[in-house]
């Protein structure tokens, strides 16, 4: 019997072209969904005939309720080896195997710098003016050399961001709850005395933390007010680490100069969301992990996951334990 597989949220129509799906020919019928389905009833109906579903990161949550409505589901493949939007315990209880794929830290590092550089040199403003016949040079950009970059989090991604900063001649401060001075020095950074110390001394602050109970709302009104009015915030990590109402107020009332944002609490971002129109926001639609190299890895290993599952030897399994 041929199994059915749905590949969700293939916004760019890249899933079937960036990997070789031929090993599944005759065994699995694969279809892709190009648009995000927000309505849970419609989503459950769309996937009702599927034994296999491939999801892209955390674009579409698979909670216990959705899993219960998919009794045919046997294999859920998520891109990346960590997905907080999948209820792994509920999947296991229902007999659904969950597998992941590798993911590179390079693309989010590069996007972090695209946002930071875009903010520093007002690229969006100047590009719009050039295209629309506006003023020739209307802003004065910030230098990076000699400025201070503050990193909240110095893991795999934060460390690479720090190394680029030193190439620009920036001073790098870093802070997280368990970060040591020795670990910071290994990445070319100095350990800030505290979170508030880092925020008050940095010209640019970039967030590179995993979302958890400890980091949710880590940057609220007191923290944003601690930043200098000419400083910028960049968040390519998780939106909920920064308190949304506080950030909106900070941007509207110019507590900070601006923000570069790639992550939002509701995605896709609603058409009327203020982050789409605030003049001091440079925003991208969660592109941190979206690159040809990453997508090739995601979908190539998704095919491997499906092939191994069909052979009775699942690989890269994710469990709640």
């Amino acid at each position: 019997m041929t199994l059915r597989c749905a590949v969700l949220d293939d916004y760019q129509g890249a899933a079937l072209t960036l990997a070789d799906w031929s090993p599944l020919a005759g065994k699995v019928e694969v279809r892709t969904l190009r648009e995000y389905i927000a309505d849970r009833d419609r989503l459950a109906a769309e996937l009702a005939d599927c034994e296999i579903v491939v999801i892209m990161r955390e674009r579409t949550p698979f909670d216990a309720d959705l899993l219960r409505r998919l009794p045919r589901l046997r294999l859920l493949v998520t891109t990346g080896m960590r997905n907080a939007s999948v209820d792994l315990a509920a999947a296991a209880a229902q007999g659904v195997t969950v597998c992941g794929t590798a993911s590179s830290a390079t693309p989010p590092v590069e996007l972090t710098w695209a946002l930071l550089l875009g903010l520093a040199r007002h690229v969006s403003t100047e590009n719009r003016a050039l295209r629309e016949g506006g003023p020739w040079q209307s802003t004065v950009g910030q230098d990076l050399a000699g400025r201070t970059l503050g990193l909240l989090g110095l893991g795999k991604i934060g460390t690479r961001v720090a190394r680029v900063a030193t190439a620009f001649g920036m001073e790098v401060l870093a802070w997280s709850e368990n970060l040591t001075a020795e670990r910071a020095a290994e990445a070319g950074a100095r350990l800030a005395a505290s979170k508030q110390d880092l925020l008050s001394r940095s010209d640019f602050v970039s967030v590179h933390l995993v979302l958890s109970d400890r980091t949710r709302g880590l940057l609220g009104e007191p923290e944003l007010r601690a930043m200098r009015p000419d400083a910028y915030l960049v968040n390519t990590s998780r939106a909920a680490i920064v308190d949304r109402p506080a950030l909106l107020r900070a941007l509207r009332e110019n507590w900070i100069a601006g923000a570069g944002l790639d992550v939002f609490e509701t995605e896709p971002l609603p058409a009327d969301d203020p982050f789409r129109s605030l003049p001091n926001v440079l925003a991208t639609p969660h592109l941190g992990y979206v690159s040809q190299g990453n997508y090739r890895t995601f979908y190539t290993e998704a095919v491997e996951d499906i092939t191994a599952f069909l052979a009775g030897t699942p690989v890269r399994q994710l469990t709640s334990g």
Side-chain angles (χ1 to χ4, degrees):
M1 182 183 69
T2 301
L3 302 181
R4 292 182 174 87
C5 171
V7 180
L8 300 191
D9 302 315
D10 182 22
Y11 298 159
Q12 300 91 350
L16 300 184
T17 61
L18 290 178
D20 178 11
W21 294 77
S22 64
L24 304 181
K27 304 172 186 175
V28 180
E29 176 186 310
V30 181
R31 68 177 187 266
T32 65
L33 282 71
R34 294 284 303 268
E35 295 183 0
Y36 175 74
I37 301 177
D39 183 88
R40 305 298 272 180
D41 292 335
R42 182 185 161 205
L43 178 63
E46 182 68 43
L47 302 179
D49 65 341
C50 293
E51 290 84 10
I52 304 168
V53 173
V54 178
I55 61 176
M56 175 57 75
R57 306 294 291 173
E58 297 173 359
R59 288 178 183 173
T60 297
F62 269 67
D63 55 20
D65 177 64
L66 179 59
L67 288 164
R68 278 195 299 269
R69 299 167 73 176
L70 302 175
R72 296 177 63 96
L73 185 64
R74 290 294 172 262
L75 174 65
L76 181 64
V77 178
T78 175
T79 53
M81 288 299 293
R82 180 172 57 208
N83 191 327
S85 73
V86 175
D87 189 329
L88 294 174
Q94 191 171 307
V96 176
T97 299
V98 182
C99 297
T101 73
S103 180
S104 172
T106 300
V109 172
E110 294 172 351
L111 186 73
T112 294
W113 280 102
L115 290 172
L116 196 153
L117 288 164
L119 288 168
R121 301 301 292 269
H122 308 286
V123 170
S124 180
T125 298
E126 296 290 3
N127 176 259
R128 187 182 308 112
L130 186 146
R131 287 178 175 273
E132 298 176 357
W136 185 263
Q137 296 186 10
S138 62
T139 65
V140 178
Q142 287 199 28
D143 299 279
L144 296 187
R147 297 298 180 99
T148 299
L149 172 64
L151 297 177
L152 292 170
L154 199 60
K156 185 163 54 174
I157 294 174
T159 294
R160 296 188 184 196
V161 172
R163 289 173 180 157
V164 176
T166 58
F168 277 116
M170 301 183 77
E171 178 184 358
V172 183
L173 295 176
W175 178 89
S176 66
E177 286 194 356
N178 299 315
L179 184 64
T180 65
E182 293 75 19
R183 173 69 188 88
E186 289 174 3
R190 290 193 300 111
L191 178 65
S194 65
K195 177 176 61 175
Q196 300 294 109
D197 177 57
L198 179 143
L199 294 169
S200 65
R201 294 172 57 193
S202 298
D203 299 290
F204 299 88
V205 174
S206 191
V207 181
H208 301 287
L209 295 164
V210 174
L211 180 62
S212 67
D213 291 340
R214 289 193 305 174
T215 61
R216 187 178 297 275
L218 185 73
L219 295 184
E221 180 171 337
E223 289 78 18
L224 293 171
R225 285 191 180 277
M227 293 178 63
R228 299 203 302 264
D230 60 350
Y232 292 92
L233 175 69
V234 176
N235 188 5
T236 57
S237 182
R238 288 293 182 268
I241 294 173
V242 184
D243 181 79
R244 174 184 164 93
L247 179 57
L248 284 170
R249 190 176 175 195
L251 293 165
R252 286 166 171 157
E253 298 180 9
N254 299 311
W255 305 350
I256 60 177
L261 306 175
D262 186 50
V263 288
F264 308 92
E265 292 192 37
T266 300
E267 296 183 3
L269 198 62
D272 60 350
D273 193 284
F275 283 132
R276 287 183 179 266
S277 57
L278 282 167
N280 52 353
V281 170
L282 176 58
T284 48
H286 205 154
L287 297 177
Y289 57 86
V290 179
S291 74
Q292 291 187 15
N294 242 1
Y295 270 35
R296 286 194 183 96
T297 298
F298 289 164
Y299 292 120
T300 296
E301 294 197 0
V303 174
E304 293 174 359
D305 288 348
I306 296 170
T307 302
F309 175 80
L310 295 178
T313 55
V315 296
R316 293 185 284 267
Q317 283 189 255
L318 305 182
T319 64
S320 57

